[in-house]
Amino acid sequence: MFIDFHTHHDLKSPDLINLQTLHVTPELQAEELPNICSLGLHPWFIQLETWEAAWSNLVNLAKLSQIVAIGECGLDRNIDLSLETQISIFQRHIELAESLQKPLVIHCVRAFSELIALKKDTKSTVPWIIHGFNKKEEVFQQLLKHDFYFSFGGAILSDRSPILQAITTIPNGRFLLETDDRTDISIKQIYDRAAALRHVSLETLQTQLIETYHQLTRLS
Ligand SMILES: [Zn+2]
């Protein structure tokens, strides 16, 4: 069994848990949701005029049992929306995740110190999973120390990736794998590469990641 922990694609296969992530709009209906998914307001798509309506919709939908995680949500210093606004919307996600006891799937670009500060200040008890992590070792070590989890994607396929050390050494139980929005790669390729780098068999990695997935999403 493979787990694609963060994908924007709707893919069905008997040996795949496909955790599709959707950006919630005011119009999104429960009937449109995949069997399992994560829901949030992605910072890229937040519009000042509509986000509050989208937010109330998210609060209603997030209670459903097929919603196994909250996000993606987070902070991105490369976009026009002010970081202050992004932080206040992200804080709502943190509170929601906490009240439902579901993990947070986080998008973070150039705002890791703010992210760490928020984790400390809110004393959140749910797992914070940084998806698509692709930063240098120093940032990785700092996040690891602050109990973050990671979801690694296509970046690990590259021989020049700054996270090769991270994927090789990260303790079992602290990471999952993903394809995100890429259509040119498969989750199997990511698993094969991660297994090779970690010197474990594909089967061992699969068993480990199923356990991690169940642990993080509190499913049995
Ligand atoms: Zn994504």
Side-chain angles (χ1 to χ4, degrees):
M1 183 65 81
F2 294 98
I3 302 164
D4 192 343
F5 185 69
H6 179 87
T7 174
H8 295 267
H9 300 115
D10 178 12
L11 205 66
K12 288 185 186 67
S13 166
D15 65 348
L16 173 69
I17 296 174
N18 192 65
L19 188 56
Q20 201 182 336
T21 179
L22 299 175
H23 172 76
V24 176
T25 60
E27 296 78 30
L28 184 70
Q29 307 271 326
E31 299 74 50
E32 299 169 56
L33 300 174
N35 281 346
I36 53 160
C37 59
S38 78
L39 294 183
L41 303 190
H42 192 305
W44 289 359
F45 308 117
I46 290 172
Q47 288 173 334
L48 289 175
E49 313 74 49
T50 56
W51 82 265
E52 300 222 35
W55 178 260
S56 358
N57 195 20
L58 169 59
V59 170
N60 283 324
L61 295 171
K63 296 177 202 134
L64 298 170
S65 59
Q66 79 250 50
I67 314 305
V68 300
I70 303 302
E72 62 183 293
C73 53
L75 308 174
D76 191 327
R77 210 178 227 110
N78 287 355
I79 59 175
D80 287 339
L81 189 66
S82 78
L83 201 58
E84 202 187 347
T85 303
Q86 293 185 48
I87 288 176
S88 75
I89 296 175
F90 180 51
Q91 278 170 326
R92 301 249 202 140
H93 286 82
I94 300 168
E95 287 160 22
L96 179 65
E98 192 66 28
S99 73
L100 298 170
Q101 287 294 296
K102 295 183 181 186
L104 276 169
V105 179
I106 298 163
H107 166 105
C108 185
V109 178
R110 296 176 55 221
F112 287 102
S113 53
E114 287 83 358
L115 187 68
I116 292 171
L118 279 163
K119 190 167 190 294
K120 280 202 234 167
D121 294 347
T122 57
K123 301 188 171 62
S124 165
T125 61
V126 298
W128 287 36
I129 305 149
I130 299 177
H131 103 82
F133 186 73
N134 192 22
K135 285 285 161 287
K136 57 179 194 244
E137 183 66 13
E138 205 180 297
V139 181
F140 169 69
Q141 289 300 341
Q142 214 187 353
L143 293 165
L144 197 62
K145 200 175 80 197
H146 287 97
D147 295 326
F148 283 86
Y149 294 81
F150 299 84
S151 178
F152 298 109
I156 68 167
L157 299 175
S158 154
D159 286 329
R160 293 187 311 274
S161 168
I163 55 164
L164 291 184
Q165 178 78 2
I167 182 70
T168 306
T169 58
I170 188 169
N172 176 30
R174 294 291 292 275
F175 75 100
L176 288 162
L177 300 171
E178 64 175 52
T179 59
D180 198 7
D181 53 1
R182 290 189 53 180
T183 46
D184 58 326
I185 54 173
S186 71
I187 193 66
K188 174 154 191 320
Q189 264 175 285
I190 309 278
Y191 266 72
D192 283 337
R193 171 74 164 165
L197 288 167
R198 293 175 68 72
H199 304 289
V200 295
S201 68
L202 177 60
E203 293 69 28
T204 301
L205 183 65
Q206 285 180 311
T207 309
Q208 290 174 341
L209 296 194
I210 287 278
E211 275 171 29
T212 305
Y213 175 73
H214 285 159
Q215 205 177 352
L216 295 186
T217 59
R218 286 159 222 266
L219 301 170
S220 52

